[in-house]
Amino acid sequence: MADISDHYYEKTGGPKHGSPEDRGSADRYYGRRYNPHWEWYGETCGGRIEKDQMTAEEIAEYDRGYHGETGEKVWFEPEPREDY
């Protein structure tokens, strides 16, 4: 598999959208099960890379995102209670 690690991080140092770390973080944040993968995006197309196609480094990056995420999506806020 070609080395495309330069596609993983933004110039600001954060994980790029679709990178293994980004996907791991998003899966954990949205309450999805552990499922290593990542996605690439081009000018006119994209694709999904599944675990069996990932390198050990890519899986480690997914793990870093998944296990490092501390936030959790709040799916709804209860309505404020009004006592009359």
Side-chain angles (χ1 to χ4, degrees):
M1 179 174 270
D3 179 20
I4 56 174
S5 57
D6 60 320
H7 296 278
Y8 294 165
Y9 292 94
E10 298 286 355
K11 291 179 182 177
T12 60
K16 189 178 268 190
H17 181 71
S19 71
E21 186 175 351
D22 175 67
R23 297 296 82 208
S25 175
D27 284 350
R28 181 71 175 254
Y29 179 82
Y30 288 107
R32 295 188 289 251
R33 63 183 174 79
Y34 177 88
N35 180 26
H37 69 282
W38 66 277
E39 298 168 359
W40 60 273
Y41 304 98
E43 291 286 324
T44 59
C45 62
R48 182 175 167 115
I49 308 300
E50 300 292 344
K51 182 180 180 181
D52 62 342
Q53 301 169 307
M54 293 172 68
T55 66
E57 290 176 344
E58 291 169 337
I59 293 172
E61 287 193 29
Y62 178 92
D63 289 350
R64 181 174 33 253
Y66 192 86
H67 297 297
E69 179 59 58
T70 58
E72 181 180 344
K73 172 71 175 165
V74 176
W75 291 99
F76 64 91
E77 292 286 337
E79 292 293 322
R81 183 175 170 172
E82 296 182 22
D83 293 326
Y84 293 98

